[in-house]
Amino acid sequence: MIELLTYLNQIQSLSDKSEQALVSICNEIIVKKGKDLHPIGNTCRNIYFIKKGFLRIYYFKDYTDVTESFEFENAIVARADSLFNSNPSKKGIQAIEDSELVAINSAQLFKLYDEFPDIERLFRKIFENAYVETVNRIESLQFHTAEERYANLLDQSKNIIQRVPLKYIASYLGITQVSLSRIRAKR
Amino acid sequence: MIELLTYLNQIQSLSDKSEQALVSICNEIIVKKGKDLHPIGNTCRNIYFIKKGFLRIYYFKDYTDVTESFEFENAIVARADSLFNSNPSKKGIQAIEDSELVAINSAQLFKLYDEFPDIERLFRKIFENAYVETVNRIESLQFHTAEERYANLLDQSKNIIQRVPLKYIASYLGITQVSLSRIRAKR
DNA sequence: GTAATTATTTAACATATGTAAAATATTTTC
DNA sequence: GAAAATATTTTACATATGTTAAATAATTAC
């Protein structure tokens, strides 16, 4: 849990009591490569911290597997719409590599908000940051060509190409695998 | 201010003290059609509530005017990245029609968070909702054709076509004006 | 109300991306 | 390590979208 608390305290410093309360609603989870941390159709009942490994959020559009996002080590991941609105999620979270996570039970977490304002503040900031990131992602999808988006992805995280099958990258960039192959062939 | 308080209490009920504190940091603003509520380059120091009118968030990409989003009556609008990180914003907020707004001073608002947890909770929920919406928008940009995105926009808000110049709609959909004209000609 | 400005559509052509199918390459399973 | 399964690239062709320029329509300013 140390990795988690270190990560969280960087965003918002927590009192000892708050830390204890948080830890008490956490569980460590291991997910094997290719397995679902959160299957499509389930309502999201946890917020996850990725200690180790690499995952993706995905769904099916007309029977085609689509990667919405990649989720790296040392970060929080959750199915936002399902989490906040208690809907069954159309999207799943799948491990691309064997991964170690901490699951924070969301129902219990939301209860802690009443007693520990620093915990509520912490997660307010976490999702504010996530919000800003998605707005930037919109900009990228709206006004960069597929080629630019591919180049940006390489810049952001150079080892992503080694770690992720290209078919996942193609749908993440909003293009087909064939199109991605062409872009790669050009370079 | 009544419209604002009605709107906010639907999201999170506020105590009388909290309402008073909130109102004390608000100012009513009128922006004429075509004018900037928030000019490009300024750091965002307010969260706005749109009482009446219609605005857009825009920026320039390679000297081309790009509409990132449309903002309707009875909703909150803010430049998220600039607001949370105190960066000068690359994006501006412009009135498409004469608009009446309430400006909530963000520095003062963030101070109120310490004293009034219900206010912090309110804005936590507001930005959580905004986050979920942007995730949905990503899905739309990633896997719908321009034609589908145009159809969806018509469904969502049928009067948008009457109220917004098409050049703004084109860039919002991530396509050129010419391409939008072609899509419209097909129907 | 007319002239000037701005917005929208259309045309012609270039480029990017999609689709389907086949050819290779790589990884996994036993 | 060979067979099977999966991933990636390539080819050929279809379609969508971009670019530039011109034509038309609508709006704004005086």
Side-chain angles (χ1 to χ4, degrees):
Chain A
M1 296 289 170
I2 296 166
E3 295 94 335
L4 172 61
L5 291 174
T6 304
Y7 175 81
L8 296 179
N9 271 291
Q10 280 166 9
I11 298 167
Q12 168 68 42
S13 73
L14 296 171
S15 71
D16 291 350
K17 294 239 177 213
S18 296
E19 286 193 356
Q20 283 168 28
L22 249 186
V23 169
S24 77
I25 62 166
C26 288
N27 285 299
E28 307 226 18
I29 293 186
I30 287 182
V31 190
K32 286 281 170 191
K33 175 175 178 173
K35 298 290 180 194
D36 274 351
L37 168 64
H38 171 85
I40 291 176
N42 282 22
T43 301
C44 186
R45 304 197 189 288
N46 292 290
I47 294 171
Y48 302 97
F49 173 73
I50 307 170
K51 261 171 68 175
K52 193 163 181 311
F54 194 12
L55 304 95
R56 68 185 186 113
I57 295 181
Y58 74 105
Y59 60 102
F60 288 92
K61 150 108 181 164
D62 303 337
Y63 308 104
T64 310
D65 178 313
V66 173
T67 296
E68 178 176 284
S69 63
F70 295 112
E71 307 292 340
F72 294 87
E73 267 158 29
N74 215 32
I76 293 281
V77 56
R79 286 295 322 114
D81 61 336
S82 177
L83 184 75
F84 296 133
N85 301 322
S86 301
N87 297 327
S89 179
K90 293 176 306 177
K91 297 165 190 171
I93 307 176
Q94 183 192 53
I96 293 176
E97 299 176 354
D98 291 354
S99 299
E100 297 171 30
L101 301 106
V102 180
I104 306 166
N105 182 290
S106 54
Q108 291 180 283
L109 176 68
F110 297 157
K111 276 184 199 146
L112 293 186
Y113 285 179
D114 291 328
E115 198 181 341
F116 303 98
D118 56 350
I119 295 181
E120 178 163 14
R121 177 162 297 181
L122 167 66
F123 283 90
R124 168 174 68 76
K125 289 182 180 175
I126 285 173
F127 288 109
E128 282 175 359
N129 291 339
Y131 174 44
V132 170
E133 270 176 44
T134 55
V135 172
N136 291 337
R137 178 106 190 275
I138 286 177
E139 194 181 318
S140 158
L141 283 168
Q142 216 176 355
F143 289 98
H144 291 89
T145 62
E147 205 167 332
E148 287 169 327
R149 299 201 297 272
Y150 177 69
N152 289 343
L153 185 68
L154 289 186
D155 285 351
Q156 277 167 43
S157 43
K158 299 197 197 297
N159 63 348
I160 199 169
I161 298 298
Q162 278 76 51
R163 293 172 79 180
V164 185
L166 290 173
K167 60 177 178 171
Y168 295 157
I169 292 177
S171 69
Y172 173 78
L173 296 173
I175 55 178
T176 59
Q177 241 193 105
V178 174
S179 200
L180 178 57
S181 260
R182 275 192 287 242
I183 287 169
R184 284 160 56 78
K186 272 206 220 166
R187 320 193 105 221
Chain B
M1 297 290 169
I2 295 165
E3 295 94 337
L4 173 61
L5 291 175
T6 304
Y7 174 80
L8 296 180
N9 271 290
Q10 282 166 9
I11 298 169
Q12 167 68 41
S13 73
L14 295 171
S15 71
D16 290 352
K17 294 240 177 214
S18 296
E19 285 193 357
Q20 282 167 29
L22 248 186
V23 169
S24 77
I25 62 166
C26 288
N27 285 299
E28 307 226 18
I29 293 186
I30 287 181
V31 190
K32 286 280 172 193
K33 176 175 177 173
K35 298 289 180 195
D36 275 351
L37 168 65
H38 171 85
I40 290 175
N42 282 22
T43 300
C44 186
R45 303 195 191 288
N46 293 291
I47 294 171
Y48 302 97
F49 173 72
I50 307 171
K51 260 170 68 175
K52 194 166 181 307
F54 194 12
L55 305 94
R56 67 183 186 114
I57 294 182
Y58 75 105
Y59 60 101
F60 287 93
K61 149 109 181 164
D62 305 338
Y63 308 104
T64 310
D65 179 311
V66 173
T67 297
E68 178 176 283
S69 63
F70 296 111
E71 308 290 340
F72 293 85
E73 267 160 28
N74 214 32
I76 292 282
V77 55
R79 287 294 322 112
D81 61 336
S82 178
L83 184 75
F84 296 132
N85 302 321
S86 301
N87 298 327
S89 179
K90 293 176 306 178
K91 298 166 189 170
I93 306 176
Q94 183 192 54
I96 293 177
E97 298 176 353
D98 292 353
S99 300
E100 297 172 30
L101 300 108
V102 180
I104 305 166
N105 183 289
S106 54
Q108 290 179 283
L109 176 68
F110 297 157
K111 277 185 199 145
L112 293 185
Y113 284 180
D114 291 327
E115 198 179 342
F116 304 98
D118 56 351
I119 294 182
E120 179 164 12
R121 176 162 298 182
L122 167 66
F123 282 90
R124 168 173 69 75
K125 289 182 180 175
I126 285 174
F127 288 109
E128 282 174 359
N129 291 340
Y131 174 45
V132 170
E133 271 177 44
T134 56
V135 172
N136 291 337
R137 179 106 189 274
I138 286 178
E139 193 180 319
S140 158
L141 283 167
Q142 215 177 355
F143 289 97
H144 290 89
T145 62
E147 205 167 331
E148 287 170 328
R149 299 201 297 272
Y150 177 69
N152 289 343
L153 185 68
L154 289 185
D155 284 351
Q156 278 167 41
S157 43
K158 299 195 196 298
N159 64 349
I160 197 169
I161 297 299
Q162 278 76 53
R163 292 171 82 178
V164 185
L166 291 173
K167 59 176 178 173
Y168 295 157
I169 292 177
S171 68
Y172 172 78
L173 296 174
I175 54 177
T176 58
Q177 240 193 105
V178 174
S179 198
L180 178 58
S181 260
R182 274 191 289 238
I183 287 168
R184 284 161 55 78
K186 273 204 220 165
R187 318 193 106 221

